[in-house]
Amino acid sequence: MHARKTVLITGASRGIGSACAKAFAKAGYNLYLTCLHSEDKLLSLKKELEQACQISCHTFLCDAGNSEEVSGLFSHISSLDILINNAGISHIGLLQDMSAKLWDNIISTNLNSCFYTAKCAIPLMLAKGRGKIINVSSVWGNTGASMEVAYSASKGGVNAFTKALAKELAPSNIQVNAAAFGLIDTDMNQHFSAEELDALKEEIPADRAGTCEEAAALLLQLAHSPDYLTGQIITMDGGWT
């Protein structure tokens, strides 16, 4: 009997992260899940998935944008097959009104986190002779968004990080890819009014937002993708770009 594969998913208490945890559990993976604050949601998800899917699930409160906390997290992880860098925050507002502290927080959470987790995950994957690192990005990392300069910059950084690290790790049989999502129906978009959401959807050929389950399905596909697929930014946006 083969040992179950393991996946670490950051930002797993809600939205894409939670849907991703469910998709990987149904596929038979053992889980390591993190979030920043919502321990009750994470523990509830753990109980649900362990009972429904007969897998093991370990949960941790961890600020993915803090190198010491990520190092502490990995002290509990002895084996890892897949890393999903999903932790992320957004902010809407003019750049001129933005504090340096808020800028730093967005860059740390969305971009630095990928460095901290990958740095710790790579030795575990090298020991296995294989592994996949999958970063959750955004179409705004490809095109930029007015009023979301810090978010766009962080996701553009994630895309460049993905392409560069993929080249570095390809000889070691570790693949690095990113999923750049368009409008997905998550809590992160609750700051939009119904009118604003309708206007956004009118620009999307599919005429709707994507679901968290669709996003999770793509991330699972990337985890199962051929080893020759690496360094790619896979865009899923309903035909918007």
Side-chain angles (χ1 to χ4, degrees), residues 74-95:
F74 272 85
S75 70
H76 300 283
I77 302 175
S78 59
S79 176
L80 191 66
D81 297 284
I82 313 289
L83 167 62
I84 309 283
N85 281 313
N86 172 68
I89 54 174
S90 65
H91 172 74
I92 305 289
L94 294 171
L95 182 76

Side-chain angles (χ1 to χ4, degrees), residues 66-132:
N66 181 301
S67 61
E68 291 182 359
E69 290 194 25
V70 172
S71 294
L73 164 69
F74 272 85
S75 70
H76 300 283
I77 302 175
S78 59
S79 176
L80 191 66
D81 297 284
I82 313 289
L83 167 62
I84 309 283
N85 281 313
N86 172 68
I89 54 174
S90 65
H91 172 74
I92 305 289
L94 294 171
L95 182 76
Q96 69 204 43
D97 297 334
M98 188 175 207
S99 69
K101 184 177 180 181
L102 181 54
W103 172 276
D104 287 343
N105 190 31
I106 291 172
I107 298 298
S108 290
T109 304
N110 295 359
L111 177 57
N112 294 356
S113 59
C114 294
F115 162 56
Y116 300 144
T117 56
K119 178 179 169 66
C120 293
I122 289 167
L124 299 177
M125 294 179 177
L126 288 174
K128 287 176 171 280
R130 67 177 190 276
K132 293 189 190 292

Side-chain angles (χ1 to χ4, degrees), residues 139 181-186 189 192 197 200-201 204 208-211 236-237:
V139 291
F181 293 116
L183 181 65
I184 303 293
D185 187 13
T186 68
N189 295 315
F192 291 119
L197 282 172
L200 283 171
K201 290 172 186 175
I204 301 169
R208 64 177 178 86
T211 68
M236 189 173 87
D237 62 4

Side-chain angles (χ1 to χ4, degrees), residues 63 102 171 175 217:
D63 179 357
L102 181 54
Q175 294 78 43

